[in-house]
Amino acid sequence: MTDIATRATRRVASPGGRRRLNGGGPRAGTIFAFVIPFFLPFVLFYLVPVGYALWQSVRVVRRTGGQYGTSYTTFGGFEQYTKVFQNDEFWSSVGRIGLFGVVQVPVMLFVALVIALLLDTPLLRLKSVFRITAFMPYAVPGVIAAIMWSYLYSPQLSPVVDLLNGIGLKPDFLGPGAVLWSAANISTWLWTGYNMLIMFSALQSIPQELYEAAKLDGANNWTIAWQIKVPIIAPSIVLTTVFSIIGTLQLYAEPAVLRQISSNISSTFTPNMLAYAVASGNNYQQAAAISVVIAVITFVLSFGFMRLTSKRAGL
């Protein structure tokens, strides 16, 4: 099977060899003209804010003359980071979001993978309709999606809750043990279609010769799906996993909206909500330190996962 895949993906070099471009290489001005539309926004809206956050995170506010004296901002080294690491609310939010990611990310990606495989099978009819239906939730803004699901979770308004109460189940989607998973359900509904589209696009690039060779060897659709398709699109699955890890640590909209109808979500429910709450109290330096720590954790988890999967794949 490997030889077949190799032959199917092998590219034949052109007989003329590599052609030389007339007139030499492009001028520096031409290169700069193509690069500046990307480079300028990248510097203004990414590097500058990151640099400003780093600068703010090493600043502290001091006062002279007691509590009501004159305040001034000065360099404080790692003082703000020490406060972050000593903050129990920060570690509670990190643990909560870690539990969220350990459960929600695998479930979401598994559902996305199953849908992508179903859309790629020749047995499914009306593929375009199912593909649009699966991708449609991603077109809904996150805040709007959270508001929609809040209506379905609310005991006073939800027809779903009324129906379940009528059959004796009596769910409490906004209770202390369920509200985290209610937010996870919103994220899963919202992002499954996005991840499915990435996996489905990868499936479309697989040569059909591989499937024909597998069928000649006696493989059925199930074997082709899990032993041929899934290993080939493994890089796409890794990519969606990295995106999902980043998105998990940035979770804000869903719990922030649910907080309006549930007392079981505090202003420090997630790390991003904690950073916003601290900034709302005019403590911008510590909020910047929290943001930097979140960014470092995101980088370590994402890069670590990519390194781990690359080693297992022998890359």
Side-chain angles (χ1 to χ4, degrees):
M1 198 67 67
T2 303
D3 294 337
I4 296 174
T6 302
R7 291 196 300 268
T9 57
R10 182 180 301 160
R11 300 185 181 275
V12 180
S14 60
R18 186 176 299 174
R19 294 181 296 176
R20 301 175 64 88
L21 295 176
N22 294 328
R27 296 180 179 179
T30 305
I31 296 176
F32 184 76
F34 280 102
V35 171
I36 193 63
F38 162 79
F39 186 73
L40 186 59
F42 178 76
V43 171
L44 291 178
F45 302 110
Y46 184 81
L47 294 183
V48 171
V50 169
Y52 184 71
L54 288 170
W55 170 245
Q56 285 287 342
S57 68
V58 295
R59 309 276 286 175
V60 294
V61 177
R62 308 288 191 197
R63 291 187 181 275
T64 58
Q67 182 178 359
Y68 301 100
T70 304
S71 64
Y72 64 96
T73 305
T74 185
F75 179 77
F78 293 101
E79 182 176 335
Q80 296 292 354
Y81 292 99
T82 301
K83 293 180 180 178
V84 172
F85 292 129
Q86 292 176 348
N87 190 339
D88 293 336
E89 291 181 334
F90 173 76
W91 290 113
S92 296
S93 66
V94 170
R96 193 176 296 114
I97 209 67
L99 179 62
F100 178 98
V102 167
V103 176
Q104 188 266 342
V105 170
V107 170
M108 176 182 63
L109 295 182
F110 178 76
V111 174
L113 177 61
V114 171
I115 295 175
L117 291 173
L118 289 174
L119 290 174
D120 191 59
T121 179
L123 303 178
L124 184 66
R125 305 275 184 180
L126 301 174
K127 291 184 180 181
S128 59
V129 175
F130 286 105
R131 184 166 62 249
I132 294 174
T133 303
F135 184 73
M136 192 176 298
Y138 177 67
V140 179
V143 174
I144 302 301
I147 294 174
M148 291 168 50
W149 280 97
S150 297
Y151 170 77
L152 296 176
Y153 291 150
S154 175
Q156 293 80 21
L157 302 173
S158 174
V160 176
V161 173
D162 290 340
L163 178 62
L164 295 176
N165 286 337
I167 61 177
L169 293 181
K170 300 185 181 304
D172 185 9
F173 295 116
L174 302 175
V179 68
L180 179 65
W181 309 118
S182 296
N185 177 67
I186 300 175
S187 296
T188 302
W189 180 83
L190 190 62
W191 291 97
T192 297
Y194 171 80
N195 294 302
M196 175 276 298
L197 191 63
I198 295 177
M199 298 177 188
F200 180 72
S201 300
L203 289 170
Q204 294 296 292
S205 65
I206 299 177
Q208 295 296 319
E209 290 83 356
L210 289 175
Y211 306 149
E212 297 173 1
K215 290 180 180 179
L216 290 176
D217 291 339
N220 54 28
N221 290 327
W222 179 268
T223 303
I224 292 174
W226 296 105
Q227 296 188 15
I228 296 179
K229 293 182 179 181
V230 172
I232 291 178
I233 67 169
S236 297
I237 298 175
V238 171
L239 179 65
T240 55
T241 304
V242 172
F243 286 165
S244 300
I245 292 173
I246 296 173
T248 297
L249 290 166
Q250 293 178 346
L251 185 69
Y252 180 85
E254 292 85 347
V257 172
L258 292 179
R259 184 170 180 258
Q260 306 304 315
I261 61 173
S262 175
S263 60
N264 294 305
I265 296 181
S266 65
S267 60
T268 61
F269 193 75
T270 68
N272 266 357
M273 293 179 68
L274 173 62
Y276 180 80
V278 171
S280 299
N282 295 327
N283 193 348
Y284 302 113
Q285 292 76 23
Q286 188 174 4
I290 294 172
S291 301
V292 171
V293 172
I294 295 173
V296 171
I297 294 175
T298 303
F299 172 78
V300 170
L301 291 178
S302 303
F303 184 76
F305 178 79
M306 293 185 66
R307 291 284 296 175
L308 179 63
T309 53
S310 297
K311 287 182 178 181
R312 290 188 175 183
L315 300 177

